Amino acid sequence: MRDCIAACSDCYEMCEKTIFQHCLKIGGKHADQEHLTLMADCANICRTSANFMIRGSGRHHLTCGICATICEACADDCEKVGQMEECVKACRLCAAACRAMAD
């Protein structure tokens, strides 16, 4: 569980940082509303999933399941937009960790 909490926390931080320190500065397709909304969704579900696990909620498998789905979608979108390798990596690691917790 600790590894999943760490992966969620890292992904949350990476998405937030990337939105404000990369995407909004570059503009263009990086600042597309749909892309930024997906990144914000990813950051928020990662933070929520980490919180559920930290608190010992018996429902963490539910948040981890949706977190894996959203992180995978975010990784795919960031890969498509380009120049976001660190974010793609963090999202894929979190998706894998959350998928394992959800099962």
Side-chain angles (χ1 to χ4, degrees), residues 4 53 59-69 95-103:
C4 191
M53 289 181 280
R59 293 167 204 81
H60 72 272
H61 66 284
L62 298 171
T63 57
C64 285
I66 193 63
C67 188
T69 300
C98 279
R99 202 172 298 109
M101 290 301 294
D103 291 339

Side-chain angles (χ1 to χ4, degrees), residues 18 22-23 26-36 38-39 71-89 91-92:
T18 302
H22 178 77
C23 293
I26 289 178
K29 61 186 175 183
H30 285 86
D32 178 71
Q33 183 178 357
E34 191 172 322
H35 174 67
L36 293 180
L38 178 55
M39 289 188 71
C71 283
E72 211 43 66
C74 190
D76 291 345
D77 200 53
C78 288
E79 199 167 54
K80 184 178 83 176
V81 169
Q83 299 176 332
M84 302 175 71
E85 295 81 14
E86 289 182 44
C87 196
V88 171
K89 182 179 176 183
C91 288
R92 294 220 191 279

Side-chain angles (χ1 to χ4, degrees), residues 1 5 48-60 63:
M1 188 175 290
I5 292 168
T48 298
S49 291
N51 183 272
F52 269 57
M53 289 181 280
I54 289 166
R55 291 186 295 105
S57 172
R59 293 167 204 81
H60 72 272
T63 57

Side-chain angles (χ1 to χ4, degrees), residues 2 8-9 16 18 36 41 46 48 56-57 82 84 94:
R2 285 185 187 150
C8 286
S9 297
E16 286 286 311
T18 302
L36 293 180
D41 288 349
C46 287
T48 298
S57 172
M84 302 175 71
C94 187

